[in-house]
Amino acid sequence: MYPYQYDPRFQNLFPPGGGQGFPPPPPGGGGQGFPPPPPGGGGQGFPPQGGAQPPSSPPPAFTPTPKLGSGGPSLYAVDPGAISGCLYRYTYIWPRNGRPYWFYPTFVGRRSVAGYRWTGSFWVYAGVDVNQIREFQCV
């Protein structure tokens, strides 16, 4: 059996008919520690409504070579203006921590970039703080 039980105090949190399974965001967007959604809707991990779609094909089959060469840490953050040149282009991301990945950016904000991340099998909508990007290269 499931360890969770129905609690009638929370019955009005979800819209009738199921919806997306989340309560509506508070006025002004954001809430719950999330930044406001990008133009066109979205928020809380969902792609913008009626906005940019993921690429219809997988990313290129090759892996780009980082230009920094050493792979060591960088003292500077990635400039959002620089990565905005990669909008709607296959972009390879080398994060400060973690494994590099293919990304397809569709929105660039002052401190973050959002778009679609390749899982190895399909595209998922994701966002990343530009301070967490060590290097990127768009093709």
Side-chain angles (χ1 to χ4, degrees):
M1 197 50 136
Y2 296 107
Y4 305 104
Q5 295 180 345
Y6 173 75
D7 189 333
R9 294 177 295 169
F10 301 108
Q11 68 184 357
N12 293 326
L13 285 179
F14 301 99
Q20 291 178 329
F22 286 95
Q32 301 161 345
F34 293 101
Q44 297 177 326
F46 292 99
Q49 300 296 324
Q53 298 296 314
S56 57
S57 61
F62 67 93
T63 301
T65 304
K67 292 181 181 178
L68 291 178
S70 69
S74 171
L75 298 176
Y76 303 103
V78 167
D79 176 24
I83 202 166
S84 67
C86 293
L87 279 171
Y88 303 103
R89 295 172 63 188
Y90 293 111
T91 304
Y92 203 75
I93 302 283
W94 287 272
R96 292 189 182 281
N97 296 309
R99 297 171 52 165
Y101 55 90
W102 281 106
F103 192 67
Y104 188 81
T106 59
F107 172 81
V108 177
R110 287 179 28 206
R111 292 184 298 246
S112 63
V113 59
Y116 295 90
R117 181 176 174 164
W118 182 248
T119 67
S121 303
F122 52 90
W123 294 101
V124 294
Y125 191 73
V128 63
D129 186 317
V130 292
N131 292 327
Q132 298 304 314
I133 299 173
R134 178 173 50 92
E135 188 175 347
F136 66 92
Q137 182 178 341
C138 46
V139 295

